[in-house]
Amino acid sequence: MIQKSEDETMKWPADKSQLDVLAPFYSSKSSNEDRQAALIEAPNNEIVANMGIDLGKEDKAFDVTAALSGVVTVAEKNPVNGNVVQIKHAGGLVTIYNSLSDVQVTVGQDVKQGDVIAKAGRDELEKDLGVHLHFEVRKDGKAIDPSTLIETASANAQQ
């Protein structure tokens, strides 16, 4: 399923060809190994399912871009998730970007797909991942595996 917002096809919010998936999206349909990799230990020692995808490489910062055009609805510092940006898109979609540094957008700002919104950073929830991006997609409030919404191979090669 490829999600379009107006005339856009969602893209990865960073150059995925240069990054590793540090923690996958938790799906009950995944293999035991993939489900284990998608569990996160919260600061209170509670184990929670990863409702996004975490991307990073060698603890280095990288540009984070808007996956689709939309309006910034949240741009704030969160004590657990680090700097957070949330963008509302057409069709009930919202993209959420956690673990950010150097946030370059403000609430109410229109962003175009591909605009740099921040740099990858750190957070308390997944501090063992080092510098990374935690990326979530929600449709009408429900978490969706971002990789199911993004064109694979050819789209990734074009980024």
Side-chain angles (χ1 to χ4, degrees):
M1 165 171 79
I2 297 170
Q3 182 65 44
K4 293 196 176 203
S5 180
E6 298 171 17
D7 292 328
E8 295 176 335
T9 300
M10 185 179 287
K11 293 186 178 176
W12 287 106
D15 184 354
K16 192 165 177 279
S17 69
Q18 302 296 310
L19 301 169
D20 296 323
V21 174
L22 303 176
F25 182 87
Y26 183 91
S27 171
S28 59
K29 298 174 185 169
S30 295
S31 69
N32 283 338
E33 183 179 329
D34 287 346
R35 286 195 312 268
Q36 280 290 106
L39 294 175
I40 299 165
E41 185 176 342
N44 62 359
N45 294 326
E46 180 182 358
I47 303 296
V48 296
N50 191 12
M51 293 289 97
I53 291 179
D54 295 278
L55 301 171
K57 183 91 171 191
E58 299 170 358
D59 207 25
K60 293 184 182 170
F62 53 89
D63 285 342
V64 175
T65 58
L68 287 170
S69 297
V71 177
V72 177
T73 56
V74 173
E76 65 187 20
K77 174 107 176 121
N78 179 289
V80 176
N81 297 324
N83 287 309
V84 176
V85 169
Q86 195 167 295
I87 302 173
K88 184 177 179 181
H89 312 282
L93 277 180
V94 174
T95 51
I96 304 165
Y97 311 78
N98 292 346
S99 310
L100 302 174
S101 67
D102 192 24
V103 174
Q104 299 177 23
V105 295
T106 57
V107 172
Q109 182 177 338
D110 288 322
V111 293
K112 298 280 182 227
Q113 183 180 52
D115 285 354
V116 175
I117 60 171
K119 294 255 187 220
R122 300 176 184 272
D123 67 19
E124 282 300 308
L125 181 60
E126 299 170 307
K127 62 183 167 190
D128 57 322
L129 296 181
V131 173
H132 70 287
L133 164 66
H134 175 83
F135 177 59
E136 293 184 23
V137 178
R138 296 187 181 270
K139 177 151 176 71
D140 300 324
K142 182 177 186 260
I144 299 171
D145 182 349
S147 63
T148 65
L149 299 178
I150 299 173
E151 242 178 328
T152 55
S154 63
N156 288 339
Q158 294 173 8
Q159 292 187 35

